[in-house]
């Protein structure tokens, strides 16, 4: 990703660093910070965060009262500010600062060769190994908004935010160490006022178990604030008179840790990541807390970074090719377990409420209907009902293969479900003849007649047995409109409504591994390996499939990626294409991605009318398309703006 795209798509490269340190030697520390800045700027970093009191060392103790140290710290600050000249990298460093006879523990932001502003620490720890109130005053005691530093009047105060005018959505809030550990961290108010990137200059010591707690604190604050959070902890160069520092640096975004360093090293330790500020801005637009809360008043310091001499190169932000499916097997299994529990509980609640005697579903031998059958079985078990109360109907048609039909009937038997086999070919042929459809015309009418015939059978059988029809279609099919309106689009409860196609297979495989034993598990593994097809077109001369869904509508791994980036992140086609190229490098070409992205956008807009009348079904993840819940969209909305952006992208 080049520098122009990096900026255009709202990424900001941020670093945390713990340079080599000598306590009480600001000149040495400024030199090491400047060297670190040079390296980080060379990596394309645009903001670098250094530890609390990084110009003097946090553990200088009563040396903070010494005039030579305070004056040397100001000289060191000028050195670091000068190091940012000619770069596109801002830096936050810590120093003690005397103002009106009081000493403050401060963070200073420098960029473009100048000092932009100073933020004093709000909360001062004074217990156990910490004794800050011996030396420093709280930010609340500050009696001015501007302080004279050298020849310049510089904004000072805990009410400062720093807005980078030439970086999208980039607004910086600063807090210092203990500020994060308090009941109401200043970063919360900063986020509500518009800060998307929160910087924490820290000097916390290391204790048994503290690193994990600190990591969770940073991660959770980034989630709570819907923000990026950069935490820079002091390194091993701090005095070890009473404790040790490790140089713990953490970069977190909206609840996820992107990068981390904790090396207990005397040498400089650095790490960086690209924060997706555009996604954070989208998250806030969709969060009622940000629209309902009254933002505290902050003064804004605005500055520009310029283009910089270095391209950011490879994106330092995770881009998962399957955003709905965790790469880690343990986490994936945990997610499957939770999703399955949500599905079975939702269906059990509906069966209990309606007093239905049976759960009725069409079993095709494919992934979706298999998952629905397994969910229905467990829902009945939850209600203390026998497996025979699950009525499965296998309805072979002209495109049904022997493999899927055998798997369907064998699965019903292995589960102990009631099985009915009702061929639909004669009824469909009669219907098509009745409406004067040309024989041999295998068009949409031909395909949809089969889906509607199956739905009619399911509805009527449900009436016969006093049951409800359990829908089998999934989230991806709903997004693409890959279902027949008033056919498989309809049911009395849609258990897979919130499950994307890429996750359905993993859920079935998880059931095979953890929920069921042979012969059910063996059948589930074979079903998971079966090509995806609606089986609506006649088989070839060798009884083989001629209709494979992904050859017609496109790879589901791409469509699920597009769905996540569009709905969850609010991204436009250009950014989705750029991210897809990273995620699917070596698997799909740019031209292929662009082709199927056009299909996705076209189908997503054209098929909203189906989603507007979709049945009830449980939400299981952060992306859902229920018109009663997450997604409200006019059925006649135009895709023109999205398609125009796609047309402007080169294959």
């Amino acid at each position: 990703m080049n520098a122009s795209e990096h900026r255009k798509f709202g990424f900001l490269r941020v670093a945390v660093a713990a340079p080599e340190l000598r306590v009480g030697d600001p000149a040495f520390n400024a030199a090491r910070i400047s060297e670190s800045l040079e390296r980080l700027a060379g990596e394309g970093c645009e903001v670098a965060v250094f530890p609390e009191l990084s110009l003097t060392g946090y553990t200088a103790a009563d040396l903070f009262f010494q005039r030579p140290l305070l004056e040397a710290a100001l000289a060191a600050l000028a050195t670091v500010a000068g190091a940012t000249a000619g770069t596109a990298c801002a830096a936050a460093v810590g120093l003690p600062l005397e103002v009106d006879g009081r000493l403050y523990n401060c963070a200073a932001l420098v960029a473009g060769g100048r000092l932009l502003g100073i933020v004093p620490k709000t909360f001062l720890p004074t217990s156990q190994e910490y004794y800050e109130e011996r030396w420093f005053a709280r930010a609340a005691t500050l009696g001015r908004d501007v302080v004279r530093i050298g020849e310049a009047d510089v904004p000072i105060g805990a009410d400062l935010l720093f807005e980078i005018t030439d970086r999208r959505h980039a607004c910086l809030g600063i807090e210092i160490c203990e500020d994060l550990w308090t009941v109401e961290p200043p970063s919360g108010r900063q986020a509500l006022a518009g800060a998307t990137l929160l910087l924490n200059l820290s000097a916390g010591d290391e204790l048994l178990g503290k690193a994990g707690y600190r990591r969770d604190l940073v991660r959770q604050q980034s989630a709570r604030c819907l923000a990026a959070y950069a935490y820079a902890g002091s390194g091993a160069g701090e005095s070890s008179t009473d404790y040790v520092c490790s140089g713990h640096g953490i970069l977190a975004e909206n609840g996820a840790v992107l990068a981390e360093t904790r090396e207990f090293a005397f040498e400089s330790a650095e790490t960086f990541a690209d924060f997706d500020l555009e996604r954070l801005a989208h998250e806030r637009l969709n969060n009622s807390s940000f629209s309902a809360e009254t933002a505290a008043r902050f003064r804004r310091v605005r500055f520009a970074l310029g283009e910089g001499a270095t391209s950011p190169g490879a994106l330092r932000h995770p881009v998962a090719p399957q955003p709905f499916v965790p790469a880690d097997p343990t986490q994936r299994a945990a997610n499957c377990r939770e999703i399955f529990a949500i599905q079975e509980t939702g269906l059990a609640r509906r069966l209990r409420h309606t007093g239905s005697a049976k759960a009725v579903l069409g079993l095709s031998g494919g992934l979706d209907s298999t998952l629905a059958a397994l969910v229905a079985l467990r829902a009945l078990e939850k209600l203390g009902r026998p497996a025979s109360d699950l009525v499965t109907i296998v309805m072979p048609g002209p495109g049904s293969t022997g493999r899927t039909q055998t798997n369907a009937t064998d699965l019903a038997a292995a589960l102990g479900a009631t099985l009915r086999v009702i061929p639909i070919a004669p009824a469909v042929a009669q219907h098509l003849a009745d409406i004067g459809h040309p024989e041999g015309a295998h068009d949409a009418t031909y395909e949809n007649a089969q889906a509607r015939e199956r739905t009619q059978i399911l509805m009527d059988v449900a009436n016969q047995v006093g049951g409800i029809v359990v829908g089998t279609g999934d989230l991806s099919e709903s997004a693409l409109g890959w279902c027949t309106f008033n056919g498989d689009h309809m049911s009395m409860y849609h258990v897979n409504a919130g499950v994307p196609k890429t996750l359905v297979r993993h859920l079935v495989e998880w059931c095979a591994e953890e929920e069921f034993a042979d012969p059910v598990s063996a059948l589930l593994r074979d079903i998971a390996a079966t090509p995806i097809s609606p089986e609506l077109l006649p088989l070839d001369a060798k009884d083989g499939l001629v209709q494979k869904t992904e050859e017609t509508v496109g790879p589901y791994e791409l469509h699920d990626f597009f769905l996540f980036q569009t709905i969850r992140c609010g991204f436009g086609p250009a950014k989705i294409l750029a991210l897809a190229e990273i995620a699917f490098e070596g698997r799909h070409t740019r031209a292929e991605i662009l082709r199927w992205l056009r299909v996705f956008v076209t189908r997503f807009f054209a098929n909203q009318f189906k989603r507007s009348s979709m049945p009830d079904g449980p939400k299981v993840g952060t992306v859902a398309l229920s018109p009663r819940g997450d997604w409200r969209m006019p059925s006649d909305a135009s895709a023109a703006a999205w398609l125009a952006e796609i047309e402007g992208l080169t294959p």
Side-chain angles (χ1 to χ4, degrees), residues 364-368 370 399-401 403-405 407 477 482 501 505 524-536 539 543-551 556:
S364 68
L367 283 167
D368 290 340
T370 295
S400 300
T401 65
R403 178 181 182 180
T404 56
Q405 296 309 291
N407 278 339
E477 292 178 344
W482 193 248
K501 184 74 78 176
R505 187 183 305 277
L524 296 183
R525 283 190 286 270
D526 189 66
I527 290 169
T530 303
I532 299 170
S533 172
E535 297 190 338
L536 296 174
L539 304 177
D543 289 335
L545 279 173
V546 298
Q547 187 181 31
K548 295 182 180 179
T549 298
E550 292 182 293
E551 292 178 359
Y556 273 114

Side-chain angles (χ1 to χ4, degrees), residues 485-568:
F485 190 78
N486 205 33
D488 52 318
H489 151 265
M490 190 50 61
S491 72
M492 295 167 181
Y493 196 74
H494 233 51
V495 292
N496 294 340
V499 185
K501 184 74 78 176
T502 49
L503 189 54
V504 171
R505 187 183 305 277
H506 289 284
L507 277 161
V508 171
E509 291 173 343
W510 170 80
C511 285
E513 294 297 322
E514 294 198 17
E515 288 291 298
F516 296 90
D518 283 336
V520 173
S521 61
L523 286 166
L524 296 183
R525 283 190 286 270
D526 189 66
I527 290 169
T530 303
I532 299 170
S533 172
E535 297 190 338
L536 296 174
L537 295 180
L539 304 177
D540 62 20
K542 297 182 179 180
D543 289 335
L545 279 173
V546 298
Q547 187 181 31
K548 295 182 180 179
T549 298
E550 292 182 293
E551 292 178 359
T552 303
V553 78
Y556 273 114
E557 66 174 2
L558 284 180
H559 286 308
D560 281 359
F561 184 88
F562 301 154
L563 177 64
F564 183 88
Q565 305 299 337
T566 299
I567 303 302
R568 185 71 179 86

Side-chain angles (χ1 to χ4, degrees), residues 286-540:
N286 283 274
N287 187 288
S288 58
S289 295
F290 277 82
S291 60
E293 290 284 345
T294 302
R297 291 187 177 275
F298 281 81
R299 292 176 290 151
R300 289 182 178 247
V301 178
R302 295 177 172 86
F303 67 102
L305 286 177
E307 293 189 4
T310 305
S311 173
L315 186 68
R316 295 287 289 262
H317 188 286
V319 184
Q322 293 192 348
F324 295 108
V325 183
D328 176 61
T330 302
Q331 185 60 54
R332 186 165 62 243
N335 282 18
C336 288
R337 188 176 300 110
E338 188 168 5
I339 290 168
F340 199 78
I342 292 170
Q343 290 181 279
E344 69 175 64
T345 303
L347 179 56
R349 175 69 176 87
R350 182 54 54 94
L351 289 167
R352 183 179 181 182
H353 171 72
T354 57
S356 300
K358 309 287 183 181
V360 179
L361 61 83
L363 197 59
S364 68
L367 283 167
D368 290 340
S369 65
T370 295
L371 177 59
L374 301 176
V375 169
L377 183 71
R378 288 290 190 253
L380 290 167
E381 289 177 357
K382 185 183 285 286
L383 297 174
R385 307 263 289 277
S388 57
D389 281 354
L390 171 59
V391 179
T392 59
I393 306 178
V394 177
M395 296 169 281
S400 300
T401 65
R403 178 181 182 180
T404 56
Q405 296 309 291
T406 299
N407 278 339
T409 55
D410 288 354
L411 179 64
L415 294 176
T418 298
L419 172 65
R420 294 180 67 176
V421 179
I422 306 176
I424 66 167
V428 171
Q430 180 63 53
H431 171 70
L432 292 175
D434 290 343
I435 66 173
H437 189 264
E439 188 174 348
H442 299 152
D443 54 9
T445 303
Y446 177 84
E447 294 186 24
N448 290 337
Q450 296 175 61
R452 294 194 177 104
E453 176 62 25
R454 289 183 170 120
T455 299
Q456 177 177 272
I457 290 170
L458 292 171
M459 293 289 183
D460 291 345
V461 170
N463 290 159
Q464 276 186 337
V465 301
I468 63 171
V469 176
V470 178
T472 61
D474 61 48
L475 178 67
S476 305
E477 292 178 344
S478 179
L480 294 167
W482 193 248
C483 53
T484 298
F485 190 78
N486 205 33
D488 52 318
H489 151 265
M490 190 50 61
S491 72
M492 295 167 181
Y493 196 74
H494 233 51
V495 292
N496 294 340
V499 185
K501 184 74 78 176
T502 49
L503 189 54
V504 171
R505 187 183 305 277
H506 289 284
L507 277 161
V508 171
E509 291 173 343
W510 170 80
C511 285
E513 294 297 322
E514 294 198 17
E515 288 291 298
F516 296 90
D518 283 336
V520 173
S521 61
L523 286 166
L524 296 183
R525 283 190 286 270
D526 189 66
I527 290 169
T530 303
I532 299 170
S533 172
E535 297 190 338
L536 296 174
L537 295 180
L539 304 177
D540 62 20

Side-chain angles (χ1 to χ4, degrees), residues 163-399:
E163 185 176 336
I164 308 178
T165 56
D166 55 350
R167 298 294 187 272
R168 294 186 66 198
H169 311 296
C171 183
L172 282 53
I174 299 176
E175 59 187 4
I176 303 174
C177 199
E178 181 72 10
D179 291 345
L180 173 63
W181 300 69
T182 58
V183 176
E184 294 186 13
S187 53
R189 299 191 300 275
Q190 293 168 0
L192 285 172
T196 52
L197 171 59
L198 306 170
L199 313 181
N200 188 307
L201 292 72
S202 181
D205 59 343
E206 287 302 333
L207 302 172
L208 182 64
K210 188 174 181 180
Y213 185 89
R214 181 191 296 121
R215 183 184 303 109
D216 285 343
L217 199 62
V218 170
R219 181 179 57 79
Q220 291 172 13
Q221 188 67 358
S222 75
R224 186 177 296 111
C225 294
L226 295 178
Y229 201 104
Y231 179 98
S234 293
E238 290 285 1
S239 172
S240 60
T241 300
D242 290 303
Y243 54 78
V244 170
C245 296
S246 70
H248 197 181
I250 307 168
L251 294 165
E253 178 188 296
N254 194 20
V257 174
L258 304 189
E260 186 173 11
T261 179
R262 179 173 174 256
E263 301 181 359
F264 289 95
F266 295 111
E267 303 80 18
S268 295
E270 303 157 354
T271 190
F272 60 89
D274 292 320
F275 286 132
D276 191 344
L277 302 187
E278 182 180 4
R279 178 175 177 182
L280 295 173
H282 174 75
E283 294 284 352
R284 292 181 176 188
L285 284 176
N286 283 274
N287 187 288
S288 58
S289 295
F290 277 82
S291 60
E293 290 284 345
T294 302
R297 291 187 177 275
F298 281 81
R299 292 176 290 151
R300 289 182 178 247
V301 178
R302 295 177 172 86
F303 67 102
L305 286 177
E307 293 189 4
T310 305
S311 173
L315 186 68
R316 295 287 289 262
H317 188 286
V319 184
Q322 293 192 348
F324 295 108
V325 183
D328 176 61
T330 302
Q331 185 60 54
R332 186 165 62 243
N335 282 18
C336 288
R337 188 176 300 110
E338 188 168 5
I339 290 168
F340 199 78
I342 292 170
Q343 290 181 279
E344 69 175 64
T345 303
L347 179 56
R349 175 69 176 87
R350 182 54 54 94
L351 289 167
R352 183 179 181 182
H353 171 72
T354 57
S356 300
K358 309 287 183 181
V360 179
L361 61 83
L363 197 59
S364 68
L367 283 167
D368 290 340
S369 65
T370 295
L371 177 59
L374 301 176
V375 169
L377 183 71
R378 288 290 190 253
L380 290 167
E381 289 177 357
K382 185 183 285 286
L383 297 174
R385 307 263 289 277
S388 57
D389 281 354
L390 171 59
V391 179
T392 59
I393 306 178
V394 177
M395 296 169 281

